[in-house]
Amino acid sequence: MSEEEKSEKIPESEGGEEEIKNRGNPEKSTEDLDLASVYVSDAQYNRNICVDTSPRAVKLYLLYNHWFLKVLLYFFILLDLSLAVFEEPAVLPVPSWATMLVELLCLLVFTARLAHYAKVIPRDKFWKDAKNICIIVVLMLTLVDMIIYGALRAADCSALRWSRVLRPLLLVNVTEGRQLRRAFRSIRNALPQIFYVFLLFMFSVLIFSLMALKLLGKRGLKTIDGSPYFTNYLEIVFDLYVLVTTANSPDIMMPAYNSSFVFAIFFIVYILINTYIFMSVFLAVVYNNYKKHLKEEMRQLVRAKRHKMVRAFGVLQEPRGEGLEPGVTQANWNQVVRLVRPDMSNAHRELLWSVSDNKNQGFIGKVAFVQLADLLNIEVITLKSRPHPLYRLCPTLYLSGPSRLLCRLVQHRAFVILFDLIILVNAVFIGLDEDNPMIANSEWVFLALYLLEILLKLYVFEPRAFFSRHNFWNWFDTIIVVSALIATVINSAMKSSGGYTSRQILDIVFVLRVLRLIRVVDSIQRFRTIINTMIRIGPAILTFGQLILVVYYVFAMVGMELFKDKVKFSEDPDDPEKLFCGNPRLRGTAFAHLNYCKNNFNNVVSSFILLVELTVVNHGFAIVTHASARIFFVLFHILVVIVIINIFVAFVLEAFFVEYSLEKSDLHTSLEKKISELELAVEQEKLQENLVNAMETIDNDLGTGQSAASNKPTLMFKIASKRYRTVDALLQRMFEADLDPDDFAENDDAQDDGNFTNPSFSSV
Amino acid sequence: MSEEEKSEKIPESEGGEEEIKNRGNPEKSTEDLDLASVYVSDAQYNRNICVDTSPRAVKLYLLYNHWFLKVLLYFFILLDLSLAVFEEPAVLPVPSWATMLVELLCLLVFTARLAHYAKVIPRDKFWKDAKNICIIVVLMLTLVDMIIYGALRAADCSALRWSRVLRPLLLVNVTEGRQLRRAFRSIRNALPQIFYVFLLFMFSVLIFSLMALKLLGKRGLKTIDGSPYFTNYLEIVFDLYVLVTTANSPDIMMPAYNSSFVFAIFFIVYILINTYIFMSVFLAVVYNNYKKHLKEEMRQLVRAKRHKMVRAFGVLQEPRGEGLEPGVTQANWNQVVRLVRPDMSNAHRELLWSVSDNKNQGFIGKVAFVQLADLLNIEVITLKSRPHPLYRLCPTLYLSGPSRLLCRLVQHRAFVILFDLIILVNAVFIGLDEDNPMIANSEWVFLALYLLEILLKLYVFEPRAFFSRHNFWNWFDTIIVVSALIATVINSAMKSSGGYTSRQILDIVFVLRVLRLIRVVDSIQRFRTIINTMIRIGPAILTFGQLILVVYYVFAMVGMELFKDKVKFSEDPDDPEKLFCGNPRLRGTAFAHLNYCKNNFNNVVSSFILLVELTVVNHGFAIVTHASARIFFVLFHILVVIVIINIFVAFVLEAFFVEYSLEKSDLHTSLEKKISELELAVEQEKLQENLVNAMETIDNDLGTGQSAASNKPTLMFKIASKRYRTVDALLQRMFEADLDPDDFAENDDAQDDGNFTNPSFSSV
């Protein structure tokens, strides 16, 4: 993967031809604008693809980056991965020719995508990139495996679909898997340090096991199921390893403790050293490496981003007479931004231009142009002043006394508190037995109240502002209440018509009812900040989700081949095999006694659920097969719990520290300054007043026309501060404080022949 | 406690009289030297005691700080705490008059110590200090409780020794409990933030419980023991809370999962949110607060330290003619240092002086004097060049050819590797069955080999250097091998004389044998660094140990009163009550089935072991009493696992990050520079060569007289870098990088009437 890393990290110094060729053109051609927009967009999203600069390749590249093709690709990857549900051992059995046909289709799509990519970047770059090679190898191996499997099945031999283990590699190696590849690199970089701590940890476990063997092995103690206690060294090592995960505490200690309380000291020392100290050291090592490595990657990302922007500037720049540096005109700038972000409002674009061109020259230089990529990543909320539709329909009625009173009531703090109280009362009613008709009917009252709340708010606030993209809780409320209404109506209709109640619909109704209660959290400021941080790390958690998916998938595939049908679960309660999960070796074991039969590797869904359980507590059941099967469980524990979960914890820690410590970036500040200079700012005090949602007051002030806001501009901006469009931007933000801008400056100068001065954002 | 905090944090501005009084005295009186040494010693150990400056109080204070009185105090505190072993419910029953008598003695000692303290500090300070008040209240309450208890017992009524809960407060409030008080302050400061996250976490648990009740309660599912599943809301809340600790995973999920795999999603989402995300957020909040708070405390400690040193300087200073600032003469300086550290060698003291007085003036100014406290905290290893005793006894023999060859062999790298291999072979032999006579006898061979190794090293290296204080592994080896030899000899003697083998002695032999194997770790450089970090955080772990002891003690006392004799453990295997732990309510429960009867609150030792188990996994058994007893277990979990364990993890993380990131301090550097200037440095390359112990080569080079080192000085120094005498020093080091020296300067100036310039250590 080192090749891939290189190609992702080192930005190229191509595109110099364009810089020279285009100097002096007053109006840029469509090709140039396309090329520039490709550079800007790559810089914004931190893509590190060395696109061929020919117009045809650029057109193809724009198509390659189209959201529809990306969604299609991910759909086929998911389809490919989910084939495991239908293949042997299947959850939903389907003839093998059908799954093979679908897999063939997937392979075709992947090949087409790769061919498309090959057309976009220079040929030599394509073959130097390890991730392309990896995809090709995976596709070929899968094809070979399918042919062998098909042939063996045709000859009625037993066959193994071993290439399924390779499927998650596609998720890692597609162009869009940057975050996932970074997470894997992060793990790989931490591995050597983790390895040494792990060796020491294992040494400690081995020494303790030896001591346990010597101290306890000869005392003739028995475990609960009567087997000898601590007599086999390897068994002791495994038991003590499991004790680290706390899964078998205090069971493993009880026989010794029952014999004498002195032995408890042995186990307490063991847990102190191995569970508390060593596990903390693992976290420290992982965290430290994660931070160090991420900082380095972010430094390279920032450098690559600036290079892309400089190249875009080279394409767009025009001479400005003697002694003046070349610059980019507003017209060209506008066209490029329009190409990069077609959804951006004109007002927003003009705001960004005025931040860049703060001396109002109509031209911007290199330094101001380079920061465009960062400006595009700052989420600016555009508030449009629109009159309420009812006001337009019937102004006299809407501005009448009772209507004004109603508006004032709804906007009052007490309205929020009232509905929070209603939610709490509702919570109590949900907890009570709904067989009581009074309770059952109260549901209609609550539904009506919630519906009334939404309607009242829609009466007061401008609907389009109410349902704007950032108003999470408004959307949440409306969707939950409307769905609950529909589900409850359907449920009652079914009940009254045939006396039959669908369990599924009832479940949905219950879940929706409980979810409604969550809204109460938003009313308390302290909770909102914690929840906002959690929501902010959401996208990054998706990356960890993918990482976990890749690891689980591989372990599930291997586990299914190794342990398939060793444990059987029977739905029939009278089945005599139920007592020992269909496997005589489990007769009388705790596994069967505790009714764990459904924890098996018999199909991909069971396997995934079992792997989640193993992540939480790893017992490592190995009675049904050979003792060496424990290697599988220990490996899983090391990889998932010691490495991945620790990296996840490290990420959450870092994200919270950033929340606690970081100030706004310089660029944020300059953008905010510009907004307030232009007197387009939404006042902060106004935002604090309203508890329902920061936006609503504003929309109301602007929209109802009641608050005499005629002297206010019809358009206002607000920075959705600290909210980031991309995960990269969040990560960059995390390490922004540590990154030394001078550090890049020198390197950039060296690579750019000195024609690029480091942009000092604070000077804007 | 806020009073106490203040008195610990804010240094006073007394002692100004002395400053004026003593100006102009050429030789300082004993009283002055005593007072100065008190200030310096308080600064060195970061004591914040506002000593009365009268000679009598100073004398008393020197006595107060005597190590013997401190050890005596801690002995009596431990005695007081360990009385719980003998009191009802007792491990070793003793008549209650005996324990009461001992407790009375303890109370007397504490009162005497407090009276001593009252004599040392000004009266008004004494009564303003919350910790003194706290001790007095505890002593009085204990006395009252003892009288009531005695009276009730005399009247044959049932009595409760409720004041036992207060005992750990003594540990916290004695003058020496600084670290512990700081840990408690750290917890108290983190509490508000933790509280809000905890509320949100509980809200999440409550919402999930409500959903579980609605989804699963009506399905008629049964748990393994046949009771209805998820029908009681409070039971669900408790079960889901326990699920966060992973103690009942996957048991709690199995009935739902067996009914449909869709419900597994519910539990997976629950575990993701509550176990992984919320627990990480707890760690983040605790860690962040811990860091922030500690930084502030360290800043205040440094400020207080400088004040003490300035005051000591005021006592010692002498005028130095016109235009020159006053200074301290070497004679006075020497006497003070001798009083503060009587064990310090003359050479070491001279080294410190030459670092302070680097212009060789015979006088040092305020800036140089202030850093004495930090200089004293740097551990300098003094290496004395001594010839080997054998060389002195018989030089010709010791310098003969075979003797030289032997020395070279022992010093060779292969010697270390050979003995590492022997250790590994020994490990295999220990693992084999020792009933085999071959294996049993091999033990003698190994013992002889280890003994030979030590003797050989003693032949080559100078014995006093070999057993110097810093040679941990030499001490370790010798103690383990000699003890093993003694124990093995006793064991064989007993065996051959009467055929009787003492189990205890055999156990000791086994433990010693296994401990011997640990030494192999020291041979690998990578392991050594990890282990050194672990050893370095050892003293701080002691503080956490005290913290845990305080919390455990309180919970054990309360638990014993609440749950005493609810569960009985019977040694007799034929006891019919064994099946249900002596309590009919436990008949057929998992608790009895898993043989957990010894996990009870019947005496203080069982209670402590049970609390350790609860720290690891908290099941919260409450069948034997009322369901509300669960509050006890949940409270324990919140306090110990969520708060204390997280602070512990935060400390370990921080300690490791300091290891990874921090460079040497300026003072370290200037001391090292001075050592190398004086050509007294131990060369680093030499140190790296020898793997057994860094010191040995040197001692050998200097000691055997074989290496033609006659031109070398007979005395050498080495800084035991990054090793600290006190926990405070380690903590200060942690935050040194973040502390802004200019920050103090201003405050110091303001408080000191501008006569104290900030010492810039790097200028020395």
Side-chain angles (χ1 to χ4, degrees), chain A residues 214 218-219 430 434 507, chain B residues 214 219 430 433-434 507:
Chain A
K214 289 284 124 180
K218 293 270 163 147
R219 281 169 199 261
I430 292 174
E434 79 264 7
D507 282 349
Chain B
K214 288 285 127 178
R219 281 169 199 260
I430 293 173
D433 190 18
E434 78 264 9
D507 282 348

Side-chain angles (χ1 to χ4, degrees), chain B residues 28 36 91 147 203 375 408 496 520 657 706:
Chain B
K28 295 292 164 185
V91 185
I147 293 166
F203 180 77
L375 275 177
R408 218 167 297 146
S496 60
V520 87
F657 295 157
Q706 290 177 15

Side-chain angles (χ1 to χ4, degrees), chain B residues 260-323:
Chain B
S260 162
F261 75 86
V262 178
F263 293 118
I265 297 167
F266 172 83
F267 288 95
I268 290 171
V269 171
Y270 179 83
I271 287 174
L272 175 69
I273 292 180
N274 290 295
T275 304
Y276 290 113
I277 297 183
F278 265 108
M279 290 299 135
S280 301
V281 174
F282 276 122
L283 179 58
V285 169
V286 169
Y287 186 20
N288 194 56
N289 269 282
Y290 170 79
K291 246 176 113 167
K292 210 171 61 188
H293 172 64
L294 203 58
K295 211 157 146 183
E296 189 45 45
E297 289 231 330
M298 285 306 128
R299 176 172 293 142
Q300 270 157 343
L301 273 187
V302 169
R303 200 179 291 158
K305 182 168 74 181
R306 290 186 191 169
H307 272 271
K308 296 255 176 212
M309 290 309 290
V310 168
R311 235 173 288 153
F313 183 78
V315 174
L316 292 177
Q317 69 184 354
E318 282 165 30
R320 286 196 299 158
E322 293 295 304

Side-chain angles (χ1 to χ4, degrees), chain B residues 452-581:
Chain B
L452 181 70
E453 188 198 6
I454 294 172
L455 289 176
L456 278 176
K457 283 187 181 168
L458 279 177
Y459 180 78
V460 174
F461 304 120
E462 208 274 325
R464 261 177 293 181
F466 185 74
F467 288 119
S468 79
R469 206 150 47 89
H470 300 281
N471 282 345
F472 173 75
W473 289 110
N474 290 348
W475 278 100
F476 181 85
D477 267 10
T478 312
I479 292 171
I480 293 279
V481 169
V482 171
S483 327
L485 187 69
I486 295 168
T488 311
V489 166
I490 293 176
N491 187 43
S492 314
M494 284 171 85
K495 216 171 176 178
S496 60
S497 67
Y500 162 80
T501 320
S502 162
R503 195 73 235 184
Q504 272 78 28
I505 289 183
L506 211 58
D507 282 348
I508 292 168
V509 170
F510 285 145
V511 170
L512 288 172
R513 270 185 213 168
V514 176
L515 282 180
R516 232 156 43 190
L517 305 180
I518 294 176
R519 225 217 27 204
V520 87
V521 174
D522 190 53
S523 299
I524 298 156
Q525 177 62 36
R526 290 265 196 171
F527 288 173
R528 226 189 294 166
T529 47
I530 301 168
I531 286 192
N532 281 345
T533 313
M534 286 188 183
I535 291 173
R536 211 159 298 137
I537 59 178
I541 288 179
L542 276 186
T543 304
F544 283 100
Q546 285 182 52
L547 190 71
I548 288 277
L549 179 70
V550 170
V551 176
Y552 274 21
Y553 200 89
V554 173
F555 273 94
M557 291 301 132
V558 175
M560 270 156 60
E561 292 304 336
L562 291 176
F563 309 117
K564 178 171 62 188
D565 289 335
K566 299 281 179 195
V567 174
K568 287 197 192 79
F569 174 74
S570 160
E571 297 275 356
D572 179 14
D574 301 326
D575 192 337
E577 291 207 328
K578 202 175 164 67
L579 279 172
F580 46 87
C581 303

Side-chain angles (χ1 to χ4, degrees), chain B residues 78-99:
Chain B
L78 285 181
L79 184 67
D80 192 32
L81 289 176
S82 62
L83 280 178
V85 177
F86 307 101
E87 289 165 341
E88 276 304 314
V91 185
L92 306 164
V94 149
S96 65
W97 59 263
T99 61

Side-chain angles (χ1 to χ4, degrees), chain B residues 701-721:
Chain B
D701 271 0
L702 302 173
T704 60
Q706 290 177 15
S707 50
S710 54
N711 58 339
K712 285 198 179 175
T714 55
L715 198 68
M716 285 193 158
F717 294 108
K718 179 173 167 266
I719 295 182
S721 79

